[in-house]
Structures are given as structure tokens and as C-alpha cells.
Amino acid sequence: LAAGKIDAAKDFWKQARMAKQISVEEICLGGDIYLKENDQAGAIKQYRRAMFFNRHSPLGYTKLANLLKKTDVEHAALVLDTLRQLRPELKVEYQIADLY
């Protein structure tokens, strides 16, 4: 995906989705693919799926907040604040401050 080979990334994502165990990384890869295709709604859906699938993994929260910071700073801060409440050991205060 980083090399711009979206079709190859989609193939890997399809293989990952067929695995028996779902992972936050696999779900976020789907969001990243949607983002590369300029489908923000699809990316948001995937990142929210990642947050729902594993509430304590910071990956979905940070990807969603980074996407939302351009259009809705308050919502992005709320997403990171939710992560801060679930995982107080993570220092997301810096990320929240960076949004503002």
C-alpha cells in the first residue's frame, strides 16, 4: 500500500479477511485502502470496526482521530479521550493537544 500498489494491497487484505482470527491490523488495513481510494466514509467505517473489535487497541482510535482531525477536531479529540479513559497508561494527551 505504501508503494502505491492498491490492487496488491487489496489481495492481501482479502487473504487476511479469510483467516480464522480477525485482527485490528487487518481491519485497519482495509481502512487504509479505502483512504488511498479517497473513500473517507469507508475508512471511517473500518476504523470504527477496529475500535469495536478490540476496544483496548490504540490503532483504530489513532487512525480515526488522524482522519477526523482535518474535518472535525472536536470528534477527533473525543475519540482520543475515549482511548485515554480505556488505556490511561498511554500518553494520548500530547495527541489531543496537537489537535488543537
Side-chain angles (χ1 to χ4, degrees):
L1 187 59
K5 298 179 180 181
I6 295 175
D7 291 333
K10 283 182 180 179
D11 289 339
F12 283 113
W13 184 40
K14 183 179 178 182
Q15 291 175 9
R17 287 189 315 205
M18 288 193 282
K20 292 188 181 206
Q21 190 166 12
I22 300 171
S23 72
V24 172
E25 291 82 7
E26 172 262 316
I27 297 169
C28 286
L29 173 62
D32 294 344
I33 290 170
Y34 280 115
L35 241 138
K36 282 282 189 183
E37 295 179 329
N38 294 320
D39 183 357
Q40 287 191 345
I44 289 171
K45 181 180 176 182
Q46 292 299 314
Y47 297 148
R48 287 191 177 168
R49 273 187 68 221
M51 292 165 48
F52 178 78
F53 176 72
N54 186 347
R55 292 179 19 163
H56 296 282
S57 173
L59 189 59
Y61 293 92
T62 56
K63 287 193 174 271
L64 181 59
N66 283 332
L67 177 59
L68 293 175
K69 74 180 178 183
K70 298 171 186 153
T71 57
D72 190 356
V73 174
E74 294 295 325
H75 191 204
L78 182 64
V79 168
L80 290 175
D81 189 53
T82 302
L83 176 61
R84 183 181 58 80
Q85 291 174 10
L86 291 171
R87 300 275 308 270
E89 75 277 5
L90 297 177
K91 303 297 182 199
V92 296
E93 291 84 6
Y94 299 115
Q95 290 174 304
I96 295 172
D98 189 45
L99 292 175
Y100 291 107

